[in-house]
């Protein structure tokens, strides 16, 4: 059984106190708790501070293009269904340049987990407005305050009927570990949005801010994550500032289960060479 | 009559013109003739002029031919548009139930009205006017109506035997009507001897799909786009039987990133597209080059730029294929010349991608991709498998003792062995950032230069069976030069020129990158003037040859970019204008 030591990779280059440390830690811990060997896990990340997580994780990684972690991650999984595949990136990467892929990944429901490190800012490019920046947020590209409405990731996912939706906070590692574990175990596409404070460029959405305002669904034994309409209402009431498993539909067939001819054995293990009988049958279709 | 016949049917889009042409073409093919078809269509569903040309002969055809002997017209536009292609003494069959045809000029062409719709109505349904037209054509080409039965059965069998018989009746009545009223005939030549030949009917797009399957591709990610979508159709039909996956991506950016992801996992994967989609793939092309991940991209070119002429052919993506993406990466660009090469070079593209761990672009075009033709079998025996440097877990365990370096820059050939996700001791991160040997993002100058050199080194001295082909006499003072789909037209033009006494050789690229420099120099030995024929406005191949091989004073251009494929006459005329008759011979 792998331990945290087996996941130890290069020391992360994030700023001290960065929320992404917590996400990395929680992701590694979740994999350890689920008994996953590091070589069975692939982290496909986008570009930005958060994108560096694939290099710090300690498994296999594909540090993909800005906004394109999801298309690559979905195919990594289809090519080898025995792998555990995590797509990861930030709010700019996933909800800005890569937004289209997010919607379609939810439609497709391939069995991967998407972790977004949401800090409401572009950090690596030193502090510009992001798609989740609050209205009025003063940044280098919005000196007078952002005038655009922020993306609402949870409502978006619920509206698109994503089969697993959760939100966590990198200031609450224990809960985040459990959310990621459940997301990985979910059969189909799972989405975990994580409030991951940027300590350098965002002085508003801080650890203190979240500690003060977050509603924790774990504290509400009556909350039913199977009820999508109730989930939408709850998210709206909390104005997105809540954590826990928001919604899950464990019965939805995954893409892999629904796809005609998709083999039980990983594609990567198939013998690719065609035999004489194959050619005979194929050539017959050209007569 | 000669050894071939040109037949064409035309009308409004949505009138069943395509299926008329298709039935006639498949019937001729199954009767044992060689056919070559060309579809002229527009980017709309109903209305607009569309036509379907069939050239039929007793030998393999590589071009749709310049001449039309028989034109079936469902409207006056069809006559006006196609009039220049009609040979003197040719015949136009028009539907006299719906219009009275007029000759655009007084040339000697027979105009014969046949009440196609009326006859179809009598046979049971006016929609069968196309079958009546096929019956009339059969009479002109002296083909017995019963020989069409197998195709009609295939086409309509699903709808019940009654529908099959009604269509056969319509066909026979059209045949009889013409037999009784006209003596104009364009008989096909005697059927060729097909013994020992695998007489197949395929398009370049189908062949590309087949080549992908044969080459071991098990994941296609693509976004629908004319003229590449037929690759997806073929693959959708056949991949599931072999465990293969087809992903309809949300856009071409997703498509290529999916193909890269699957290849990273160790599954041969590709994307197929056309110009606009290929443009969207440029950033990811760089990722494949930088992260040394194999990927195959098929670009079925169409007229650009931008949306351009979506249903017309062109060869104007050459520069993009050779130079596209920011920064500098190793890549291979193959340009299949024929349907058979669409099959073989697509299959081979996967070997090259795996072997050199870089993107391989297969550059086809609408003309090659969408034209159905009779061929003498596919070169399935030539398919081979080379997975390149993939490490086993045992090898990785050995390497782990000194630390496995996925991007080891010290390897002599620049190709460092790959591990696949799931393998023990092989963990690494594939990335688009500059990196060191172990795959960590670094920015120091020495590592940067070493890694750039490593990647560039992979294709140094590249040798492969693709490259340059040469037809015609070695000592010819003149040469026709082209790449990809124009091979058939250029070859036929060369033969016509030779018959007229002009000694010309034909030099053709089936690979443009890495540029086959030595082979091209050898081919140009003794050539004083070369006519570089290509379907674009700026002479992209000529520019590439000048840059890579020189010959500035000897290269002339024959360019076409109006959307139509080049005609034999255009090549021959251009050759006469370029090559001084008798001066050098």
């Amino acid at each position: 059984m792998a331990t945290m030591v087996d996941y130890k990779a290069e020391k992360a280059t994030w700023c001290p106190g960065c929320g992404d440390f917590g996400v990395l830690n929680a992701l590694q811990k979740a994999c350890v708790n689920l008994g996953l060997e590091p070589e069975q896990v692939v982290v496909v990340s986008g570009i930005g501070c958060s994108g560096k997580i694939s290099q710090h994780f300690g498994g296999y990684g594909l540090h993909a293009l800005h906004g394109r972690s999801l298309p690559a991650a979905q195919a990594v999984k289809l090519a080898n269904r025995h792998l555990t595949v995590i797509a990861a990136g930030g709010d700019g990467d996933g909800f800005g340049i890569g937004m289209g892929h997010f919607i379609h990944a939810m439609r497709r429901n391939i069995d991967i987990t998407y972790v977004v490190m949401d800090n409401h800012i572009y950090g690596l490019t030193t502090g510009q407005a992001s798609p989740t920046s609050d209205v009025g947020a003063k940044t280098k590209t919005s000196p007078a305050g952002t005038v655009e409405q922020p993306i609402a990731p949870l409502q978006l996912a619920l509206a698109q009927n994503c089969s697993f939706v959760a939100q966590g906070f990198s200031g609450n590692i224990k809960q985040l570990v459990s959310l990621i574990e459940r997301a990985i175990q979910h059969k189909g596409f799972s989405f975990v949005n994580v409030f991951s404070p940027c300590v350098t460029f965002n002085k508003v959405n801080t650890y203190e801010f979240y500690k003060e305002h977050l509603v924790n669904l774990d504290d509400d034994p009556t909350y039913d994550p199977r009820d999508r309409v109730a989930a939408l209402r709850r998210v709206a009431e909390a104005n997105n500032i809540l954590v826990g498993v928001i919604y899950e539909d464990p019965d939805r067939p995954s893409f892999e289960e629904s796809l005609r001819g998709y083999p039980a054995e990983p594609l990567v293990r198939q013998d690719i060479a065609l035999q004489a009988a194959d050619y005979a049958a194929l050539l017959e279709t050209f007569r | 009559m000669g050894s071939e016949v040109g037949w064409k049917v035309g009308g409004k889009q949505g009138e069943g013109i395509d299926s008329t042409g298709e039935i006639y073409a498949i019937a001729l093919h199954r009767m044992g003739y060689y056919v070559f078809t060309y579809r002229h269509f527009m980017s709309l569903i109903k209305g607009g002029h569309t036509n379907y040309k069939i050239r039929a002969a007793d030998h393999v055809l590589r071009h749709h031919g310049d001449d039309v002997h028989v034109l079936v017209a469902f409207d006056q536009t069809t006559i006006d548009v196609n009039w220049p292609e009609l040979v003197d003494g040719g015949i136009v069959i028009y539907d006299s139930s719906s219009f009275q045809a007029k000759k655009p000029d007084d040339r000697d062409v027979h105009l014969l009205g046949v009440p196609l719709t009326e006859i179809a109505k009598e046979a049971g349904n006016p929609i069968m006017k196309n079958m009546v037209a096929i019956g009339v054509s059969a009479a002109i080409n002296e083909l017995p109506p019963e020989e069409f039965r197998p195709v009609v059965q295939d086409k309509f069998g699903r709808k019940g035997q009654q529908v099959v018989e009604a269509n056969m009746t319509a066909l026979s009545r059209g045949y009889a009507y013409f037999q009784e009223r006209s003596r104009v005939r364009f008989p096909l030549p005697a059927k060729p001897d097909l013994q020992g030949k695998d007489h197949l009917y395929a398009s370049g797009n189908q062949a590309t799909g087949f080549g992908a399957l044969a080459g071991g591709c098990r994941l296609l990610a693509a976004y629908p786009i004319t003229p590449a979508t037929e690759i997806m159709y073929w693959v959708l039909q056949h991949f599931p039987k072999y465990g293969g996956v087809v992903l309809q991506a949300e856009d071409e950016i997703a498509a290529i990133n999916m193909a890269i992801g699957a290849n990273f996992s160790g599954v041969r994967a590709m994307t197929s597209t056309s110009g606009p989609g290929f443009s969207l793939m440029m950033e990811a092309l760089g990722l494949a080059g930088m992260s040394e991940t194999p990927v195959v991209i098929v670009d079925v070119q169409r007229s650009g730029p931008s949306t351009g002429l979506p249903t017309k052919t062109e060869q104007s993506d050459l520069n993009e294929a050779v130079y596209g993406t920011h920064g500098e990466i190793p890549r291979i660009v193959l340009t299949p010349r024929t349907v058979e090469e669409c099959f073989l070079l697509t299959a081979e593209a996967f070997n090259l991608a795996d072997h050199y761990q870089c993107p391989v672009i297969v550059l086809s075009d609408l003309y090659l991709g969408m034209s159905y033709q009779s061929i003498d079998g596919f070169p399935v025996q030539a398919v081979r498998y080379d997975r390149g440097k993939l490490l086993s877990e045992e090898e990785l365990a050995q390497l782990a003792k000194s630390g496995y370096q996925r991007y080891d820059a010290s390897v002599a050939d620049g190709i460092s062995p790959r591990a696949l996700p799931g393998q023990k001791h092989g963990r690494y991160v594939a990335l688009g950032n500059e990196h060191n040997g172990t795959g960590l993002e670094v920015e120091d100058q020495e590592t940067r230069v070493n890694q750039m050199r490593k990647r560039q080194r992979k294709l140094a001295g590249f040798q492969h069976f693709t490259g340059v082909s040469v037809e015609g006499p070695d000592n010819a003072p003149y040469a026709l030069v082209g790449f990809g789909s124009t091979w058939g037209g250029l070859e036929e033009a060369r033969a016509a020129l030779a018959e007229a006494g002009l000694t010309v050789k034909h030099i053709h690229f089936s690979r443009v990158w890495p540029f086959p420099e030595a082979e091209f120099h050898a081919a140009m030995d003794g050539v004083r003037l070369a006519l570089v024929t290509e379907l674009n406005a700026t002479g992209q191949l000529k520019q590439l040859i000048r840059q890579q091989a020189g010959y500035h004073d000897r290269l002339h251009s024959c360019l076409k970019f109006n959307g139509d494929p080049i005609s034999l006459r255009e090549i021959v005329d251009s050759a006469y204008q370029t090559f001084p008759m008798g001066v050098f011979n």
Side-chain angles (χ1 to χ4, degrees):
Chain A
M1 286 284 271
T3 65
M4 286 298 273
V5 177
D6 298 304
Y7 280 89
K8 205 167 166 61
E10 281 304 299
K11 193 174 171 343
T13 52
W14 295 310
C15 304
C18 175
D20 293 352
F21 281 106
V23 180
L24 171 64
N25 195 259
L27 182 59
Q28 290 168 325
K29 189 103 182 125
C31 290
V32 168
N33 290 352
L34 292 173
L36 298 169
E37 297 296 326
E39 60 270 6
Q40 291 174 264
V41 187
V42 181
V43 175
V44 184
S45 63
I47 299 298
C49 292
S50 57
K52 296 183 188 285
I53 195 168
S54 55
Q55 293 186 49
H56 302 322
F57 174 72
Y60 277 92
L62 174 55
H63 193 166
L65 295 174
H66 193 28
R68 317 301 171 200
S69 66
L70 280 173
Q74 291 170 80
V76 167
K77 177 69 180 184
L78 288 180
N80 186 349
R81 65 189 304 172
H82 284 181
L83 298 171
T84 295
V85 179
I86 314 291
D91 43 304
D93 186 84
F95 305 145
I97 189 167
M99 177 55 105
H101 306 307
F102 177 41
I103 304 282
H104 290 278
M106 292 191 280
R107 278 180 62 218
R108 218 169 264 129
N109 204 31
I110 292 173
D111 187 12
I112 63 169
T113 296
Y114 184 36
V115 177
V116 175
M117 285 152 267
D118 184 358
N119 59 9
H120 296 28
I121 196 84
Y122 282 86
L124 192 58
T125 48
T126 68
Q128 298 82 21
S130 100
T132 52
S133 291
D134 298 320
V135 173
K138 289 192 175 163
T139 71
K140 282 183 183 163
T141 50
S142 59
T146 312
V147 295
E148 290 137 311
Q149 287 290 323
I151 296 282
L154 301 181
Q155 279 124 313
L156 204 65
L158 290 167
Q160 190 46 59
N161 207 359
C162 179
S163 63
F164 183 98
V165 183
Q167 186 155 265
F169 170 43
S170 50
N172 184 350
I173 300 293
K174 196 167 162 240
Q175 183 191 39
L176 187 55
V177 170
S178 134
L179 293 175
I180 294 174
E181 275 178 43
R182 282 176 70 177
I184 290 173
Q185 285 173 305
H186 173 77
K187 172 199 73 181
F189 184 80
S190 50
F191 170 51
V192 184
N193 197 60
V194 186
F195 292 126
S196 178
C198 172
V199 294
T200 307
F201 296 106
N202 189 337
K203 304 298 183 196
V204 178
N205 308 103
T206 58
Y207 287 98
E208 292 70 33
F209 169 85
Y210 287 114
K211 277 176 185 154
E212 195 174 324
H213 293 95
L214 272 180
V215 173
N216 192 343
L217 291 177
D218 290 352
D219 299 336
D220 180 359
T222 66
Y223 184 75
D224 176 13
R226 306 283 172 98
D227 185 341
R228 192 158 67 98
V229 176
L232 271 162
R233 173 178 289 277
R234 192 61 177 266
V235 171
E237 281 168 357
N239 196 23
N240 286 319
I241 314 291
L242 75 176
V243 284
V245 173
I246 312 290
Y247 177 71
E248 65 178 327
D249 177 0
D251 303 322
R252 176 109 41 97
S254 67
F255 182 86
E256 296 92 309
E257 288 173 314
S258 312
L259 191 66
R260 180 174 69 102
Y262 187 65
E265 270 295 294
L267 283 192
V268 70
R269 296 202 192 145
Q270 309 275 315
D271 181 10
I272 57 170
L274 294 187
Q275 305 305 316
D278 300 323
Y279 279 126
L282 288 162
L283 290 172
E284 202 51 45
T285 66
F286 289 103
R287 288 187 207 285
Chain B
M1 198 45 224
S3 64
E4 62 173 79
V5 167
W7 177 94
K8 189 182 263 194
V9 59
K12 287 185 193 60
Q13 206 136 300
E15 243 183 341
I17 302 302
D18 275 355
S19 66
T20 311
E22 194 183 286
I23 291 171
Y24 206 59
I26 296 175
L28 290 174
H29 169 81
R30 293 215 187 141
M31 285 176 208
Y33 292 104
Y34 287 94
V35 297
F36 190 109
T37 73
Y38 177 69
R39 253 183 90 193
H40 171 99
F41 64 114
M42 294 167 81
S43 187
L44 42 80
I45 305 300
K46 297 272 179 192
H49 173 67
T50 184
N51 68 58
Y52 195 107
K53 164 92 188 268
I54 302 172
R55 185 185 184 194
D58 57 2
H59 54 276
V60 177
L61 296 167
R62 299 295 185 181
H63 187 271
H64 62 294
D66 293 357
D67 299 334
V68 171
H69 303 92
V70 184
L71 177 67
V72 178
F74 284 104
D75 57 14
Q76 182 64 38
T77 308
T78 299
I79 299 173
D80 297 342
V81 169
N82 298 289
W83 190 253
E85 284 181 45
L86 273 160
V87 298
D88 286 341
I91 182 168
V92 176
I93 302 298
Y94 69 93
D95 186 4
S96 58
S97 332
S98 70
F99 72 105
Q100 184 55 50
K102 288 181 289 290
K103 281 185 174 191
D105 59 39
D106 57 2
R107 269 177 57 214
D108 174 26
V109 171
H110 306 280
L111 228 58
L112 191 76
V114 177
L116 300 173
T117 309
E118 206 53 47
I119 296 173
K121 216 181 276 178
E122 283 164 24
N125 192 337
I127 203 171
M128 299 188 300
K129 65 180 179 184
N130 301 314
M131 298 310 291
V132 180
I134 287 175
V136 172
S137 305
I140 298 170
N141 291 156
E142 296 186 351
L143 302 165
E146 272 305 306
E147 291 223 29
F148 289 83
R149 183 172 282 280
V151 179
V152 174
Q153 187 74 42
D154 275 7
K155 183 93 180 164
F156 300 106
R158 278 181 298 129
K159 297 178 180 172
Q161 202 52 36
Q162 216 177 336
V163 178
V164 173
E165 294 311 325
N167 277 281
M168 281 306 295
T169 303
L171 192 154
S172 304
R173 289 195 186 172
Y175 183 88
Y177 183 96
F178 190 85
Q179 284 282 55
E180 288 159 21
R181 285 168 182 79
S182 175
R183 286 168 197 281
V184 184
R185 297 286 183 275
F186 287 98
L188 284 163
K191 288 180 187 175
D193 178 11
L194 297 176
Q195 195 143 28
K197 286 180 178 151
D198 204 10
H199 193 57
L200 303 178
Y201 181 78
S203 70
N205 280 341
Q206 290 183 324
T208 299
F210 184 23
L213 178 64
C217 177
R218 290 297 179 271
L219 188 141
L220 169 76
Y223 184 82
I225 186 169
T226 305
T229 315
E230 287 165 340
I231 295 173
M232 206 173 171
Y233 294 160
W234 193 95
V235 166
L236 271 165
Q237 199 184 336
H238 297 283
F239 263 30
K241 281 173 270 177
Y242 299 89
V245 171
V246 184
L247 277 170
Q248 179 170 339
E250 53 269 30
D251 54 42
E252 287 90 346
I253 296 175
I256 186 170
N257 282 287
M258 286 167 170
I260 290 170
N263 273 293
F264 167 73
S265 267
V267 167
R268 289 187 160 185
M270 76 166 186
T271 182
S272 52
T273 189
S274 187
F278 191 45
S279 291
L280 285 178
M281 294 179 182
M282 284 301 120
E283 189 192 12
L285 190 64
L287 173 66
M290 186 65 151
S291 66
E292 307 199 37
T293 309
V295 69
V296 173
I297 303 150
V298 176
D299 174 16
V300 187
Q301 299 166 94
R302 70 187 206 189
S303 298
S306 187
T307 311
L309 303 168
T311 61
K312 302 289 184 293
T313 199
E314 206 162 271
Q315 294 181 301
S316 52
D317 298 351
L318 180 72
N319 282 345
E320 193 180 27
V322 171
Y323 303 113
T325 203
H326 60 281
E328 296 152 310
I329 55 159
R331 98 262 315 270
I332 296 165
V333 184
L334 306 179
T335 54
R337 303 172 302 164
T338 59
V339 164
E340 294 92 321
E341 281 193 353
C342 282
F343 168 80
L344 187 59
L345 299 197
T346 305
E348 185 62 14
F350 291 92
N351 292 330
L352 293 173
D354 267 352
H355 187 96
Y356 294 97
Q357 301 177 11
C358 74
V360 179
I361 298 154
V362 180
L363 219 46
S364 163
D365 59 31
L366 182 143
Y367 183 65
L368 181 57
M370 293 189 74
S371 294
Y372 281 80
Q373 50 195 286
S374 307
I375 53 170
D376 287 333
F378 280 108
V380 297
Q381 303 301 331
V383 174
R384 61 181 194 115
Y385 299 98
D386 169 11
R387 292 300 318 255
K389 294 184 187 173
L390 281 179
L391 292 164
S392 66
E393 283 200 348
E394 294 70 36
E395 289 168 320
L396 281 165
Q398 278 300 315
L399 286 169
K401 289 170 187 164
S402 54
Y404 164 57
Q405 292 201 33
R406 163 66 183 99
Y407 299 110
D408 182 359
S410 70
V411 286
D413 61 2
I415 306 166
S416 46
R418 283 206 291 158
L420 299 179
Q423 286 184 309
K424 280 192 192 303
H425 312 295
R427 281 180 279 163
Y428 78 101
V429 178
L431 72 175
N433 294 68
E434 190 55 274
H435 44 263
N436 64 14
T438 56
L440 275 177
E441 182 184 332
V442 292
E443 294 186 3
D444 78 87
Q445 294 87 338
E446 193 189 342
T447 308
R448 156 67 174 182
V449 170
N450 285 341
Q451 288 289 335
M452 277 298 280
R453 285 194 177 135
K454 167 202 191 296
R455 290 188 292 269
Q456 291 302 319
R457 201 157 69 228
K458 294 197 288 187
L459 293 175
F462 181 88
Q463 290 288 325
H464 191 253
F465 69 74
T466 56
V468 169
S469 62
V470 186
E471 267 88 20
D474 277 350
N475 60 354
Y478 307 129
L480 296 170
V481 180
F483 73 99
S485 72
T486 52
W487 184 81
L490 288 171
E491 198 40 25
E492 202 165 331
R494 182 190 66 80
L497 290 167
E499 207 164 297
L502 198 61
T503 313
V504 177
K505 65 165 90 166
H506 172 199
I507 303 171
H508 212 89
F509 290 86
S510 58
R511 168 176 36 100
V512 291
W513 201 264
F515 188 83
E517 197 185 328
E519 293 165 81
F520 185 73
H521 283 308
M524 283 293 284
D525 188 34
V527 173
R528 302 186 207 188
L529 288 173
L531 185 62
V532 186
T533 305
E534 49 191 317
L535 273 67
N536 58 57
T538 55
Q540 298 182 20
L541 178 64
K542 190 175 80 174
Q543 293 172 33
L544 186 69
I545 295 171
R546 282 180 169 174
Q547 182 203 68
Q548 296 294 323
Y551 303 102
H552 293 251
D553 54 335
R554 290 183 234 178
L555 302 180
H556 294 252
S557 270
C558 171
L559 305 173
K560 185 169 187 181
F561 47 91
N562 70 355
D564 289 333
I566 198 159
S567 70
L568 301 171
R569 216 161 277 135
E570 283 168 319
I571 303 170
V572 168
D573 287 353
S574 191
Y576 279 134
Q577 283 167 23
T578 311
F579 305 141
M581 195 70 174
V583 173
F584 289 139
N585 295 20

